[in-house]
Amino acid sequence: MKVSATEEYGLRCLMRLAVAWGTGEFMTIPQVARLEGLSPQHVAKLVSILRRAGLVRSVRGMNGGVGLSRSPKDVTMTEALSALAGTPVRTGPCIGPSAAGCEMVGTCGLRNVWCRISDVVTGVLDGVTLADLVMNGRPGAAGLQQNAAIEPARWGSGTRG
Amino acid sequence: MKVSATEEYGLRCLMRLAVAWGTGEFMTIPQVARLEGLSPQHVAKLVSILRRAGLVRSVRGMNGGVGLSRSPKDVTMTEALSALAGTPVRTGPCIGPSAAGCEMVGTCGLRNVWCRISDVVTGVLDGVTLADLVMNGRPGAAGLQQNAAIEPARWGSGTRG
DNA sequence: GATAATCTTTATCCTTTTGTCAAGTATCGC
DNA sequence: GCGATACTTGACAAAAGGATAAAGATTATC
């Protein structure tokens, strides 16, 4: 069971935008890329996925940028992962060639476990918002804000969207 | 977050062997392959992983076969998935190129969530044995035994290992 | 000892996932 | 309008994971 790179990096980008939401609102893709150590094109691809899912808004042209389309407090990890991977937890029950011939549908013990796991994981993810991620449930979030300040958004005073 | 094919099929093979443990003890790789709709070579590879991990025992030569090395009641899904994938849950916290430059180690909200998820998933997996998987927690396991009877093990009377 | 049945191992191919490149489109400021 | 800045998109390359093929090693039976 594994978290894909797209999920991990996509969430990290969302966290950066969540920090920016509290400071200068929008960031540019190169800024996010630099902070995360990724190429701008890579971040652009992740952002485009998130934009199509409605989690991120973008403004093209000079002084453009990307930002969350709503408050970090209103975006759960379940939503974020669903956007990035289609569904937060992709388990069997019957993947691959044996699916068609699986004579155990409905009574499959393995399937039952996958369902339980999906439930408990979704339970955790539902309870965590982007705001929680950034605040980390404790005052340590100051460290995050510091990082954001390295490359402050330039449009802090503008109203956007 | 996703369960890999190796994990899914590996567990299914273990379930077949768990059923055989209660009937004729050992099965051949082609038998397991036929029941699961996989190629014998593919099953052989999965079995070899499980064998190296100590979960499966094999006997070469004529009348050989593969079987669990201990009772299905003593093998948890945590063990099985650890054998098949190195660790039951592979999440970040810091995967890929941004790992080295991650300035948030220790205070990373995302990492904390991954840890919580790993904990709850492991909690479920620890509580499920191969015997539970096969019995499905209810009397329906009869269906499984029927399937096993399609290709019964031939060495039911022999003592092995 | 020869043969057939069976597991073992290595190499190879295919598919999916990741990541990059390059061309395109939109906006602002002059 | 022109150029600089930024996002958008589709094609492509690299890497990882999944599946197959083929040759090898081992054992029971005759």
Side-chain angles (χ1 to χ4, degrees), chain A residues 41-82:
Chain A
Q41 293 94 341
H42 193 184
V43 171
K45 181 169 277 188
L46 295 171
V47 162
S48 94
I49 293 172
L50 295 166
R51 185 181 55 77
R52 276 192 282 264
L55 264 53
V56 160
R57 260 199 301 199
S58 60
V59 175
R60 303 224 281 195
M62 202 161 182
N63 291 2
V66 296
L68 297 182
S69 42
R70 55 185 197 271
S71 167
K73 300 188 187 198
D74 297 332
V75 181
T76 66
M77 279 188 72
T78 301
E79 271 186 286
L81 288 177
S82 296

Side-chain angles (χ1 to χ4, degrees), chain B residues 92-107:
Chain B
C94 288
I95 57 180
S98 73
C102 181
E103 72 284 354
M104 298 190 290
V105 168
T107 68

Side-chain angles (χ1 to χ4, degrees), chain B residues 24 37 90-91:
Chain B
R90 188 148 44 117
T91 61

